[in-house]
Amino acid sequence: MASVHFEVKDHIGFITLNRPEKLNSFNREMALLLQQHLDDCKKKEIRCVYITGAGKGFSAGQDLSEVTAPDAPGFNVILSEHYNPIVTRIKRLEKPVLAAVNGVAAGAGANIALCCDIVIATQSASFMQAFSKIGLIPDSGGTHTLPRLVGWQKASALMMLGEKVTATDAERMGMIYKVFPDEHFDEEALKMAKTLAGMPTLGLAYTKKVLSLSVNNTFEDQVLDEDVFQQRAAQTKDYREGVAAFLEKRPAVFKGE
Ligand code: LHQ
C-alpha cells in the first residue's frame, strides 16, 4: 500500500497520509509522494483538495527512526526537498485545500495542516509543536503561520513548551476553523469539501492569493491588489452565473471557470 493514497471523486482530490502504524510520520518516500499528489491536484477538474491521515493520527511529523538511520537524509535535504516543497505547493495551489485533522498532528505534521486554507479537526484530535522537545526549531512554515493564527505570545509559548493543544482549544484560540464530534467528523468534513468543490473555484483561488499578499502589504497596496483580483473575478463565468442565479432566484451552478 502506498504511503500516500490519492483518489479523485466529485471534483475533490482526496490525499490520505498512509503510514498509520507510525502515526503517518514522514519518511522520504511519503514526503515525495505527497508532493507528487499535490501536483496532481493542479488538474482543472479538481476543485478542492482534502488532506487527512489514515488510522488514529493525522501525522506525527518527521519519522524519527529515519533521521537516526545510518543512511539518513541530511537536514538540508529534509527541509529543502521534503517539507519546504510540500508547504509551498499547498500555498500555491490555486484552489482551496482543506485539512481534515483526524487525530494528533505533531511537528511538521501540525504545520503542514496549519498551512492549509481551512483546518477542521475531530474532537479527539490535538496539535503539538513537538520540535522543542527534541531540540529542534519549528519548521514547515510554522514560524510564519502560527503567530499569524494565534498571535505572537501564544505561538511563542506553544513552540517553546511543545504542549499538546486539544482540538477544542485550538479552535478557541483561532488556530483552526472548526471542531466536529468524532462520530460526525467524516460526514461533516466531506460535506465541507463538497461545498468548496461546488463553489466558484477561480474566485476562491483569487481570495487565497490576495489573503496571502496581505502578509507583506501595506493597507494601500492591499486595496490595490484587491482591485486587480476583483477585476479578474468579475471576468469569470462563475461570477456571471452567481449574479444571474441570484436575480433569477435559483441556486447557482458554478463550473470553476
Ligand atoms: C513515531 C513518531 C515519529 C517515528 C509516533 N517518528 N515513529 C525536520 C528536520 C529534520 C529532522 C527532524 O524533523 C523535522 C520536522 C519534525 O517534524 S520534528 C518533530 C518530529 N515529531 C515528533 O517529535 C513527535 C514524536 N511523537 C510523539 O511525540 C507522540 O508519538 C505523539 C504525541 C505524536 C502521539 O503520542 P501517542 O498518541 O501516545 O502515540 P505513540 O507515541 O504511542 O505513537 C504510536 C506509534 O507511532 C509508536 O510506535 P510503536 O511501535 O511504539 O507503537 C511511535 O513510536 C510511533 N511514532 N511518532 N515522529
Side-chain angles (χ1 to χ4, degrees):
M1 197 64 170
S3 56
V4 181
H5 184 255
F6 181 60
E7 188 184 1
V8 181
K9 205 173 162 210
D10 298 330
H11 299 285
I12 303 165
F14 290 94
I15 295 178
T16 307
L17 308 176
N18 190 32
R19 300 179 76 221
E21 70 291 350
K22 293 259 186 184
L23 277 183
N24 304 318
S25 58
F26 279 86
N27 60 10
R28 181 168 171 82
E29 180 202 279
M30 182 166 139
L32 298 181
L33 209 45
L34 175 55
Q35 290 172 42
Q36 187 186 309
H37 292 316
L38 286 166
D39 285 344
D40 292 336
C41 289
K42 288 181 187 165
K43 286 193 196 108
K44 190 172 169 243
E45 60 158 316
I46 297 177
R47 295 170 60 194
C48 172
V49 179
Y50 181 104
I51 306 180
T52 195
K56 71 177 183 137
F58 178 79
S59 170
Q62 173 64 38
D63 182 334
L64 295 176
S65 53
E66 184 184 62
V67 276
T68 48
D71 56 346
F75 271 52
N76 56 333
V77 169
I78 291 179
L79 292 195
S80 68
E81 294 184 15
H82 300 182
Y83 299 117
N84 294 355
I86 290 172
V87 289
T88 308
R89 274 169 171 77
I90 291 172
K91 288 284 182 196
R92 287 189 184 155
L93 259 181
E94 295 174 348
K95 52 198 74 181
V97 182
L98 176 67
V101 180
N102 56 303
V104 66
N111 290 339
I112 288 169
L114 295 178
C115 84
C116 294
D117 300 303
I118 302 179
V119 188
I120 56 175
T122 192
Q123 201 150 18
S124 59
S126 55
F127 296 81
M128 191 177 171
Q129 295 293 316
F131 311 87
S132 61
K133 302 266 193 180
I134 55 168
L136 292 182
I137 69 151
D139 57 30
S140 307
T143 55
H144 195 268
T145 311
L146 196 59
R148 287 168 170 80
L149 293 173
V150 301
W152 190 286
Q153 177 57 216
K154 283 205 160 63
S156 174
L158 290 173
M159 288 173 172
M160 289 194 177
L161 295 168
E163 287 174 341
K164 212 185 234 188
V165 177
T166 64
T168 307
D169 284 346
E171 182 195 55
R172 201 175 295 138
M173 64 175 79
M175 192 192 297
I176 65 172
Y177 178 52
K178 253 185 196 173
V179 177
F180 295 104
D182 290 12
E183 59 274 25
H184 301 306
F185 181 66
D186 291 347
E187 177 197 331
E188 294 289 348
L190 187 59
K191 194 161 90 183
M192 193 177 287
K194 284 187 175 169
T195 299
L196 289 165
M199 292 188 68
T201 313
L202 294 172
L204 299 191
Y206 300 152
T207 302
K208 176 169 179 167
K209 178 72 183 166
V210 178
L211 251 181
S212 76
L213 291 172
S214 78
V215 170
N216 292 316
N217 266 349
T218 61
F219 185 81
E220 280 79 4
D221 287 340
Q222 187 65 15
V223 291
L224 292 176
D225 282 331
E226 287 177 357
D227 191 350
V228 169
F229 283 92
Q230 192 67 292
Q231 292 189 46
R232 284 190 202 172
Q235 279 157 28
T236 62
K237 287 187 188 160
D238 283 343
Y239 163 67
R240 286 203 293 279
E241 165 64 7
V243 175
F246 176 78
L247 296 175
E248 291 161 21
K249 300 191 188 300
R250 62 169 174 82
V253 181
F254 296 117
K255 300 213 163 101
E257 293 170 358

